[in-house]
Amino acid sequence: MTTDPLPRPPALDYAARPGAGRRALRRARRWWPIGLVLAVGALGAVYGPGAWRNAQLMRVQSACASAVLTAAADRPIDADPTRARALCAARPDEYRLTGPKREVAMRTDPRWTALATALGLPSPATAACGRSTTYVGERFTPDGRRRIVVIEDVVGITLIEPDTLTRPPRVISTDAVALPDDQSLADGGNAGLYLELPLAMYWNPDLTIGPGAPDPADRSRMTVPIALGGTATGAFDYTLRDSDKVLLELRDAGGFDRRMAEARKAHRASRATPPGRE
């Protein structure tokens, strides 16, 4: 006796329905711009504020690195009280009165003010003591490292390491000055002159300082000319070292040190003489 074989299971049909692939492609084409917008929006929300801050920082850094002070008119220091007050009133974002009697108008370069603020440094434009921007620009150490150098008056030197692909700019030092033969600012001689020179216009209004300029023959050096009565008498030479210190040297070409000492002595004598007496 024979038995009927077990019934065969129905065959499964996995074939895609006609036109399904085309419909999926049409849906993908329709929705991918929305997905892209959502992805970009999410990335912008996470990284946008930081990227914007970095872009602003790069902009002000670039402005300082390429800054050029071409003439004394770019950054005058005016010791005439009337003109000084007028300058400060006309340009309060750049100028402020400073000194013992607050009669001298000092100017901070706005590019340096913007970079200092972006780096979290105290704003030089509102500093209690007067410092005028004497030099700002890009220089290189002898071994080839890039730096932004800012000189305020004579001895105020700030060094900044510019950004790289992996990190933002950083402040190396706000006191990078080095004097010859390991002098200190408390020493006599030229070291004392360096310290007093920013205030020298109070007792010698014929003094003119700066502006600083890069040395075209040496990318580690800068020069700030000095003059008395409109006559050049020398310069301050600055040399960026591998140690990230800036060597400051006086190049005296016209008896500047002697003439400044005489003017300083006469000023002190006049202050010691009571009014109305010889």
Side-chain angles (χ1 to χ4, degrees), residues 35 43 52-53 68 75 77 79 95 98 114 138 145 153-154 163 168 184 214 221 234 239 244 256 261 265 277:
L43 290 174
W52 174 252
R53 286 193 297 271
V68 177
R75 36 147 312 282
I77 300 174
Y95 279 91
T98 186
E138 182 180 81
R145 287 171 292 146
D153 297 332
V154 175
D163 70 295
S184 73
R221 289 172 60 87
T239 305
D244 278 326
F256 176 80
K265 181 179 179 180
R277 294 187 181 181

Side-chain angles (χ1 to χ4, degrees), residues 3 20 26 52 62 64 66 68 79 86 93 115 121 143-144 164-166 176 205-206 225 251 276:
T3 59
R26 284 196 298 269
W52 174 252
S62 177
C64 279
S66 59
V68 177
D93 57 329
L115 180 58
L121 296 174
D143 61 7
T164 66
L165 293 176
T166 58
D206 291 334
R251 177 160 34 99

Side-chain angles (χ1 to χ4, degrees), residues 13 19 53 65-66 108 118 129 161 176 191 197 199 217 220 248 251 271 278:
D13 185 5
R53 286 193 297 271
S66 59
T108 299
C129 59
E161 184 177 17
L197 197 58
L199 297 177
S220 67
L248 167 58
R251 177 160 34 99
R271 289 174 60 88
E278 294 295 333

